[in-house]
Amino acid sequence: MLTLLTLLASYGELLLRGGARCLVFLGAVLFAPASLASTASQWFQVGTPALLLSLLILLLAIGGGLLSVLLHHLDVGSFRRLHHQLTVMPIAVAIVRKKDGHLVYGNKACRQLLGVRKLNERYLYPDGLSSKMLCDFLRPFAGLKTFKDVDEALPQNNGKVIPLVVSGLSIRCQWQSCWLLFMDPPRASHGEQVKLEKEQRIFQQVLNSLSELVYFQDKSGKLIGTNKAFDRFWRGRIEEGIAGEQDIGSLGNSAAHTWTTAPDGSSRLLETNCNLLIGDTGEAIGTLSISHDVTDWHEMQEVLKSEIEKREVTEQELAQRNTLLDTILSASRDPIALYNEHGVYVGCNEPFARSLGYTQQALLGKSSADVLEPDKLELFRQTDQQVIEQGISVKLDDYVILEDGTPIWYEVLKSPYRDPTDDTTGVLMMARDVTERKMAEQQLADAIMELQELSFVDSLTKVANRRSFDEQLRKMWYSHIREQHPLTLILCDIDYFKAFNDNYGHQQGDFALREVAKVLRSVVKRETDEVARYGGEEFAFLLPNTDLEGGQVVAAEIHRALADKGLTHRYSDIASTLTVSLGVATLIPKPSQDYGKLVELADVALYRAKAAGRNCTMTMSERKAG
């Protein structure tokens, strides 16, 4: 280019002359008679070398200009096609100039994710992000053509950060080297995923450890889950194993007994208990059914009843039956006992006597009042009276601790019987060891409770999370509409917490959040009050049946307790310790209002507290807002 400019300067005058001669010559050739054209041609030959050079330079200049225009249009057309393709992409895409980090382009998903603004044909970074920060981030990849799945946290002007997974491709755009960046929020962390998978495995292991047949159904009766015992027993005939259609609202604690065929071809009696599954909001979401094989227990009961009835035939048969009964009692692992209407034990086996801390011989002839504790004796008398007077069987659970300290759960069935020798009535009691089932049920209940607690508690601060806060606010709002009592909300924001994190580090910042949460929990005195982590460094207090003055009292206590705690913050502009700004809002809810109105008032009050210099409390009520 410099050579071309030098030649143009050196032969500028010659170009003018040659150009003029060229025009005269072209005019003579095109419009003059042949004689004049011949004369012009001779005149033109006088400056032939200079004129040819001038024409060559002129053609080069015109050709270069046309080539530049053509390349420009090709670049513009290429960028337009790229722009159209990037615009419809569902993930955030940006084009960043390599040399200075200038933002050339950001699609709609990028503007939504990062807060990028579009001004005419320019794209501007949000306030918390700059070209220099992008240059610093991209510098390690300067010698690469691509990079993939790099974790990065981009700051925002509100002190928060946006975690991203970034991939890049080196391209040329608008005649310059640029990065084509693809940005996506990270999925669940590996640690959280591992924890969730572990909890799911534990939950499934608990189910599969049960010998009972367990299955789940939704509200419509559709099967949504089973355990291994159920799958083994009902393989190839699942529909037979599912209980018939039931009205969820009418389910009780009664058990259903069904005869069926086992996989080995034997006839088995199943006892099925169907229980409601309750969702987070208290509504029924389905049923949990547990079936266990009670064939042996049922057959034992039938045998004993049959033997008792046959005692009426003769004394000889009665003696034979007593012998058979003793044999059965001795052979049974389950505790079995007979006692008359006065509570005197007339028969039992060794497992039953051992459960009460006696031997079989020592227990016979004793009264239940001599061996049972007062509270258990009263419970047994009530069920015994029901069995004897109404002639029905009663089932209950009993918990005993053996002499060696072993705890055992029994499922006890009491049935009436009549002694044919003296026509006295009594109770036949059979107990079945269900300790393993009870432990499995407890493990299942603990797992469910742990999952529910995790869904409503903030993992870092151990106070209620935002989900719990929203649910409690919704419930309190409607209850206060009915009662027309004041409801108070306090929004709490830690002052200059970004500076705290930037200077002390995020680990120390997490420690500070936990300590602040402990202080805030100590301020809440009533069981109905709730403190929750609202987001980031913000916390929220819900104070039911509390007016604005009561909210101010709690706010003053928050400032005092935090000052007593004295968490060091040397990078705060207002104090040497950690402080908070509080916004207090109170409403008596109306049916026409939404609980978002209370949050809006508290947010305005918090904004005023920050504007007033922080480390203070501002209040808002419906009267002040109006």
Side-chain angles (χ1 to χ4, degrees):
M1 183 62 72
L2 291 175
T3 304
L4 180 60
L5 291 176
T6 304
L7 289 173
L8 288 174
S10 303
Y11 296 100
E13 184 177 357
L14 189 58
L15 278 171
L16 293 176
R17 295 176 187 173
R21 291 179 180 178
C22 182
L23 291 175
V24 173
F25 172 75
L26 291 175
V29 172
L30 295 174
F31 305 104
S35 60
L36 293 176
S38 176
T39 303
S41 176
Q42 293 174 3
W43 174 70
F44 179 78
Q45 290 177 357
V46 176
T48 299
L51 182 59
L52 289 176
L53 181 59
S54 301
L55 285 174
L56 179 60
I57 294 173
L58 181 61
L59 290 174
L60 289 174
I62 294 172
L66 291 174
L67 182 60
S68 299
V69 171
L70 178 61
L71 293 176
H72 173 73
H73 281 284
L74 289 175
D75 184 63
V76 170
S78 177
F79 181 73
R80 287 177 179 172
R81 290 192 297 272
L82 180 62
H83 178 276
H84 175 72
Q85 294 172 352
L86 299 182
T87 300
V88 298
M89 293 189 72
I91 67 172
V93 181
I95 299 177
V96 177
R97 199 157 58 200
K98 285 186 177 182
K99 67 178 182 179
D100 55 5
H102 172 72
L103 182 62
V104 178
Y105 169 76
N107 67 353
K108 184 178 180 181
C110 176
R111 298 197 291 273
Q112 292 175 347
L113 179 64
L114 301 183
V116 169
R117 295 168 293 162
K118 183 178 181 183
L119 183 61
N120 296 328
E121 296 302 322
R122 299 173 57 202
Y123 294 88
L124 305 177
Y125 289 114
D127 294 340
L129 195 60
S130 66
S131 300
K132 183 178 181 303
M133 295 171 64
L134 261 295
C135 282
D136 292 340
F137 166 67
L138 295 171
R139 186 174 293 111
F141 315 113
L144 303 176
K145 291 294 185 182
T146 62
F147 62 89
K148 185 178 180 181
D149 297 338
V150 176
D151 293 327
E152 179 63 14
L154 298 181
Q156 292 181 300
N157 56 357
N158 60 2
K160 300 180 181 178
V161 295
I162 303 177
L164 296 173
V165 177
V166 185
S167 299
L169 173 65
S170 178
I171 64 171
R172 292 192 66 81
C173 181
Q174 297 182 355
W175 303 96
Q176 300 184 67
S177 294
C178 298
W179 280 110
L180 179 60
L181 302 179
F182 301 90
M183 293 164 283
D184 198 26
R187 297 178 175 84
S189 66
H190 179 70
E192 294 174 348
Q193 185 68 26
V194 170
K195 182 178 180 182
L196 179 60
E197 292 176 356
K198 181 179 179 181
E199 292 171 351
Q200 291 175 342
R201 287 197 301 271
I202 292 175
F203 180 77
Q204 191 62 43
Q205 288 171 359
V206 170
L207 288 179
N208 291 334
S209 66
L210 298 176
S211 59
E212 284 78 7
L213 319 180
V214 182
Y215 64 95
F216 304 88
Q217 292 173 286
D218 60 16
K219 294 176 64 175
S220 64
K222 180 181 178 182
L223 185 66
I224 58 176
T226 62
N227 69 345
K228 287 186 177 179
F230 182 92
D231 296 336
R232 287 193 299 267
F233 191 91
W234 294 112
R235 182 176 301 168
R237 48 197 183 113
I238 297 296
E239 295 298 328
E240 183 182 348
I242 302 176
E245 188 173 347
Q246 303 182 62
D247 182 8
I248 288 182
S250 64
L251 287 177
N253 296 323
S254 60
H257 293 79
T258 307
W259 283 98
T260 187
T261 303
D264 60 0
S266 61
S267 181
R268 311 303 295 174
L269 177 63
L270 296 183
E271 179 181 272
T272 303
N273 291 276
C274 188
N275 301 282
L276 284 177
L277 293 177
I278 306 300
D280 295 338
T281 57
E283 82 283 6
I285 61 174
T287 58
L288 165 66
S289 300
I290 303 177
S291 304
H292 54 271
D293 187 349
V294 295
T295 309
D296 295 339
W297 169 79
H298 174 76
E299 291 177 350
M300 182 66 69
Q301 183 184 21
E302 294 299 318
V303 169
L304 289 176
K305 287 182 178 180
S306 175
E307 293 303 323
I308 292 173
E309 292 173 355
K310 290 180 180 179
R311 289 179 60 190
E312 298 178 355
V313 180
T314 59
E315 289 292 336
Q316 183 179 1
E317 291 181 354
L318 179 61
Q320 294 176 352
R321 297 306 179 187
N322 285 336
T323 303
L324 178 59
L325 177 61
D326 291 338
T327 302
I328 294 174
L329 290 176
S330 301
S332 175
R333 296 180 180 179
D334 294 330
I336 303 175
L338 292 164
Y339 51 92
N340 60 26
E341 58 188 354
H342 304 293
V344 177
Y345 294 103
V346 296
C348 69
N349 63 355
E350 196 63 40
F352 181 86
R354 188 168 59 251
S355 69
L356 297 179
Y358 290 84
T359 64
Q360 183 179 8
Q361 295 299 323
L363 184 61
L364 291 177
K366 288 186 177 292
S367 172
S368 58
D370 299 330
V371 299
L372 296 179
E373 297 175 358
D375 56 342
K376 186 174 292 188
L377 176 64
E378 182 60 28
L379 175 63
F380 276 26
R381 280 179 176 174
Q382 293 177 5
T383 55
D384 292 344
Q385 186 177 5
Q386 187 177 5
V387 170
I388 294 173
E389 293 180 358
Q390 300 181 20
I392 61 175
S393 296
V394 176
K395 184 183 291 186
L396 68 154
D397 291 336
D398 189 24
Y399 178 76
V400 300
I401 300 178
L402 301 182
E403 290 182 341
D404 60 359
T406 303
I408 298 180
W409 276 98
Y410 288 110
E411 184 179 77
V412 179
L413 178 67
K414 292 185 176 182
S415 301
Y417 87 94
R418 184 175 297 276
D419 191 336
T421 58
D422 55 7
D423 203 34
T424 59
T425 58
V427 176
L428 165 65
M429 186 172 72
M430 294 180 291
R432 188 161 58 92
D433 187 344
V434 292
T435 306
E436 292 184 2
R437 192 186 77 190
K438 286 289 185 179
M439 293 177 64
E441 290 175 352
Q442 185 61 46
Q443 290 175 348
L444 178 61
D446 291 343
I448 294 174
M449 289 295 294
E450 183 178 357
L451 289 174
Q452 291 178 342
E453 181 180 354
L454 288 174
S455 66
F456 285 100
V457 176
D458 180 69
S459 60
L460 176 63
T461 61
K462 304 306 178 185
V463 298
N465 59 16
R466 179 66 178 272
R467 177 183 177 188
S468 176
F469 169 82
D470 291 339
E471 182 66 17
Q472 289 300 318
L473 176 57
R474 184 184 65 82
K475 292 179 180 178
M476 290 183 184
W477 182 264
Y478 291 114
S479 67
H480 283 65
I481 288 178
R482 293 192 302 269
E483 300 167 359
Q484 282 298 289
H485 289 166
L487 177 61
T488 295
L489 169 63
I490 303 177
L491 289 182
C492 171
D493 186 81
I494 302 176
D495 296 327
Y496 300 105
F497 191 71
K498 182 179 184 301
F500 189 98
N501 263 342
D502 291 344
N503 290 278
Y504 292 106
H506 288 282
Q507 185 174 3
Q508 193 65 22
D510 290 347
F511 172 78
L513 287 173
R514 287 193 293 268
E515 293 301 309
V516 170
K518 291 178 183 178
V519 172
L520 299 182
R521 281 201 306 269
S522 69
V523 174
V524 173
K525 304 299 182 183
R526 300 183 303 179
E527 292 183 357
T528 55
D529 297 343
E530 177 167 299
V531 58
R533 188 179 181 189
Y534 195 72
E537 67 271 18
E538 288 189 9
F539 294 84
F541 290 79
L542 274 176
L543 308 176
N545 301 321
T546 304
D547 56 16
L548 190 61
E549 288 74 19
Q552 290 175 310
V553 171
V554 174
E557 180 64 17
I558 293 172
H559 285 299
R560 184 200 62 76
L562 198 57
D564 291 344
K565 186 67 175 180
L567 297 171
T568 303
H569 186 2
R570 296 181 180 177
Y571 300 94
S572 172
D573 292 345
I574 56 174
S576 59
T577 59
L578 212 61
T579 60
V580 295
S581 299
L582 302 175
V584 183
T586 300
L587 273 181
I588 297 178
K590 300 177 182 177
S592 60
Q593 292 177 321
D594 183 78
Y595 52 78
K597 179 65 176 178
L598 181 61
V599 177
E600 180 182 348
L601 290 176
D603 197 52
V604 172
L606 178 61
Y607 176 82
R608 292 182 177 178
K610 291 181 179 180
R614 304 177 189 258
N615 192 22
C616 63
T617 299
M618 288 295 174
T619 62
M620 288 290 292
S621 65
E622 190 171 31
R623 179 178 56 82
K624 290 183 178 181

